[in-house]
Amino acid sequence: VAALLVAMGEEPPGAKDDENVGGEQDVDEEEKEYAADKTHTVLQKALHHALRTTKFEAAFAGVVVANLFLIVYDTDTQAKGQESAVWARALGYLFLVLYTLELFIRIHV
């Protein structure tokens, strides 16, 4: 495959040490620039790093999916003419708090 890429005038992946696949180097350089910035506090730098992790994104994707199931359950309950369960309302407020915290953190960073 590498020989075919070279024949086509392309460089095979990993041919350049300073180039990274998928733009990961751009993210790393941006992260380094943010870390070197003297105008941000240590907390802001730590939050910025945490927000960019795959684990955080996956966790919040899980929150969104869980909220989806709660909305479906609550809609079905109300369509039957029943009142929402206390735990469903409490969980809805918890999702609201989580979304609000994420928003404030992203604004702060």
Side-chain angles (χ1 to χ4, degrees):
V1 174
L4 180 60
L5 288 173
V6 171
M8 293 178 11
E10 307 255 341
E11 292 196 33
K16 289 185 178 178
D17 292 334
D18 60 358
E19 195 171 314
N20 208 341
V21 178
E24 292 175 10
Q25 184 181 13
D26 296 336
V27 173
D28 291 340
E29 287 181 17
E30 184 179 322
E31 192 75 31
K32 288 177 186 175
E33 288 176 16
Y34 192 89
D37 189 358
K38 303 288 188 213
T39 60
H40 295 95
T41 65
V42 174
L43 176 63
Q44 286 175 317
K45 291 175 185 179
L47 290 173
H48 180 264
H49 177 70
L51 286 173
R52 297 176 63 95
T53 63
T54 305
K55 290 180 182 178
F56 181 83
E57 293 295 329
F60 250 82
V63 168
V64 170
V65 171
N67 192 18
L68 170 74
F69 286 120
L70 178 68
I71 290 171
V72 169
Y73 169 80
D74 198 35
T75 302
D76 287 346
T77 302
Q78 290 181 5
K80 294 176 186 174
Q82 301 171 350
E83 190 174 324
S84 298
V86 174
W87 64 267
R89 285 193 305 250
L91 201 53
Y93 286 120
L94 175 66
F95 288 132
L96 176 63
V97 168
L98 289 174
Y99 293 140
T100 304
L101 280 174
E102 181 194 16
L103 175 66
F104 285 145
I105 290 171
R106 288 189 185 273
I107 289 172
H108 181 66
V109 171

